[in-house]
Amino acid sequence: MPGNDEQGVTVSQLLLIEYAQVKDEQRARIGFRDNLLYATLAAVTAVVAATLQSPMRAGLLLILPPVCLVLGWTYLVNDEKISAIGRYVSTELTHRLAAVTPERQECFGWEVAHRSDGRRRSRKVLQLLVDLLTFCGASLAALTVFWTTGPVSPALLALSLVECAAVVVLAAQISTYADLGTGREPRRTE
């Protein structure tokens, strides 16, 4: 029931408040997600440095896959929520606000416009490659070095195989959620 009730809040005001709240959450998640890349690079550097200082202890490399898995999974979850917020704003909130405006104008055009760039797909493919390299490639490289540097105990070999399987699962999840579509047609749930 849209309207200007002098004693209450209008529907459009509530929708604008909701928009501000979800955009605040999106901004916070973007900052956190982006910092996970730096944390992963720092972790990789620390593990490689420790291993290089003690080459006889290649088992230290087995620390890297679980660290990359945790950081990669956290990155993936936040990235998906960032995209979900964008979809929600462009497909739901925009249309609900347009329905209560006098001219029924579409609102928040940037939410759709930035997804219709002709180079979006190539950027998303490159981002997918960076994500796979950062969270999975470093782990697989560490496992490969571990497997090829000499005798490996059966327990550590078993652990490394479990880690390898987990890295493959993470790679599949990262690829699944990469959102490689053109983004030109926003999905709207009715």
Side-chain angles (χ1 to χ4, degrees):
M1 186 175 350
N4 288 335
D5 181 5
E6 291 181 21
Q7 302 211 338
V9 178
T10 66
V11 172
S12 59
Q13 289 171 324
L14 286 174
L15 293 171
L16 290 172
I17 291 168
E18 181 181 4
Y19 173 77
Q21 293 296 315
V22 296
K23 291 306 280 186
D24 284 346
E25 178 182 347
Q26 189 180 48
R27 275 188 290 279
R29 285 184 179 276
I30 288 169
F32 182 71
R33 177 202 61 192
D34 292 351
N35 284 328
L36 289 168
L37 287 169
Y38 303 124
T40 303
L41 293 174
V44 168
T45 301
V47 170
V48 168
T51 303
L52 290 175
Q53 289 177 356
S54 179
M56 299 304 291
R57 301 194 61 188
L60 289 173
L61 291 171
L62 294 182
I63 295 169
L64 197 54
V67 169
C68 287
L69 286 166
V70 168
L71 293 171
W73 183 255
T74 306
Y75 178 93
L76 178 63
V77 168
N78 275 282
D79 190 58
E80 194 283 324
K81 294 300 180 208
I82 291 163
S83 295
I85 289 169
R87 281 190 307 274
Y88 174 74
V89 169
S90 66
T91 61
E92 294 296 324
L93 204 51
T94 297
H95 299 290
R96 288 173 34 214
L97 186 56
V100 297
T101 58
E103 297 85 23
R104 296 205 179 276
Q105 293 180 332
E106 288 295 318
C107 307
F108 314 128
W110 175 248
E111 299 293 337
V112 175
H114 80 279
R115 294 180 57 88
S116 54
D117 174 17
R119 294 183 301 268
R120 180 181 186 278
R121 181 169 171 77
S122 64
R123 277 196 319 276
K124 294 299 279 184
V125 167
L126 290 172
Q127 185 63 53
L128 171 60
L129 294 175
V130 167
D131 294 347
L132 289 171
L133 181 63
T134 303
F135 299 112
C136 303
S139 296
L140 293 175
L143 290 168
T144 301
V145 170
F146 172 74
W147 292 326
T148 60
T149 57
V152 176
S153 74
L156 289 181
L157 178 60
L159 174 63
S160 70
L161 293 173
V162 169
E163 289 179 348
C164 184
V167 170
V168 169
V169 169
L170 178 62
Q173 290 298 301
I174 289 172
S175 298
T176 298
Y177 285 96
D179 189 21
L180 297 178
T182 62
R184 294 178 194 275
E185 297 295 324
R187 290 170 272 165
R188 181 167 186 219
T189 56
E190 296 296 329

